[in-house]
Amino acid sequence: MRCLVHRKTIVNVLAAVKPTVWTKSYKPILKSVKLVVTGDTLTITATDLEVAVAVPVSASVQEPGQCVVSHKALLAAARGMKDDDVLLAVEKTTIGK
């Protein structure tokens, strides 16, 4: 997965889905958002198991794919960046040991 998206767009979307992210859960997956990159779109999805929100945004897609990432960490990283565009990429995936 690899795409380029405007920083302000991703910050606004992550802030918009924040009420749906279940921050008090003991399950880390519920504290996360799913990123799906296809065509020319990045879709950010969050759920609290009762409500799900999926927000598609325009992106410059270099490689389609998907991943799950901590909402809090991604929002903090995006807010802290100075550039106008953010490169979201999965370089290596590891399952198990």
Side-chain angles (χ1 to χ4, degrees):
M1 181 194 99
R2 203 171 169 85
C3 73
L4 197 63
V5 64
H6 292 289
R7 186 186 68 80
K8 287 183 182 180
T9 300
I10 198 163
V11 167
N12 290 341
V13 170
L14 289 170
V17 302
K18 186 175 182 177
T20 312
V21 176
W22 201 1
T23 58
K24 295 180 183 177
S25 175
Y26 62 90
K27 296 181 179 182
I29 195 73
L30 296 177
K31 298 178 184 180
S32 303
V33 290
K34 181 178 181 182
L35 308 178
V36 179
V37 176
T38 57
D40 61 351
T41 304
L42 163 66
T43 302
I44 300 173
T45 305
T47 186
D48 64 2
L49 295 181
E50 291 183 19
V51 176
V53 176
V55 181
V57 295
S58 178
S60 175
V61 176
Q62 299 169 2
E63 183 181 335
Q66 58 186 341
C67 70
V68 176
V69 64
S70 163
H71 174 270
K72 183 177 179 180
L74 184 57
L75 182 57
R79 282 183 173 158
M81 293 180 182
K82 303 279 190 249
D83 295 336
D84 289 339
D85 292 324
V86 174
L87 176 65
L88 298 173
V90 174
E91 297 294 331
K92 182 179 176 183
T93 57
T94 304
I95 297 175
K97 292 185 179 185

